[in-house]
Amino acid sequence: MKRERSYSRVTREALVLLGRMIRIGRLERGLTAQDLADRAGISRTTLSNIEKGAAGPEVGIVFEVAALAGVPLFGQDAGSLQMHNAHLAEKLALLPKSVRHKAREVDDDF
């Protein structure tokens, strides 16, 4: 049996916000739901779920639909995305590769 995943209120609100932004972008571009779904290579039902803020669709599909609808993600253009990616890559290079909890010292002093 598939386990139902629960999401925080902030996550649910962000999904609804993004879905509404996608719908507005689609309508402003004069695209029908079927037009956008066809361009994204998804079903009309999947697009409907994205626009309603459902958590089920894959994040890559949601980002693709957002880009097709003209919704800016993380900046206005591809150059901005590349700049942010380069900055974050530099930051990640300075951070540890992984986080490990320190082993507890054994308290064997009886």
Side-chain angles (χ1 to χ4, degrees):
M1 179 163 73
K2 189 173 180 180
R3 188 173 152 211
E4 184 78 18
R5 169 100 176 133
S6 63
Y7 295 95
S8 70
R9 181 178 46 85
V10 173
T11 299
R12 291 189 312 268
E13 287 177 7
L15 288 167
V16 170
L17 174 65
L18 183 56
R20 287 177 178 165
M21 291 170 65
I22 289 170
R23 182 166 186 193
I24 288 170
R26 175 177 65 78
L27 293 172
E28 287 178 345
R29 286 182 160 28
L31 295 170
T32 67
Q34 190 62 54
D35 289 339
L36 183 55
D38 290 343
R39 287 185 183 188
I42 59 175
S43 70
R44 169 70 184 81
T45 303
T46 300
L47 178 61
S48 176
N49 287 335
I50 291 170
E51 289 184 350
K52 289 177 184 174
E58 294 178 15
V59 69
I61 292 171
V62 175
F63 280 14
E64 181 66 18
V65 169
L68 291 169
V71 176
L73 299 171
F74 309 110
Q76 295 296 327
D77 56 23
S80 176
L81 286 175
Q82 290 172 346
M83 182 186 70
H84 287 298
N85 259 333
H87 174 72
L88 292 177
E90 290 172 5
K91 189 171 184 175
L92 283 170
L94 299 174
L95 293 170
K97 298 276 184 222
S98 63
V99 177
R100 294 186 183 152
H101 296 285
K102 294 181 180 179
R104 292 183 184 171
E105 289 186 29
V106 177
D107 184 13
D108 59 358
D109 188 24
F110 298 105

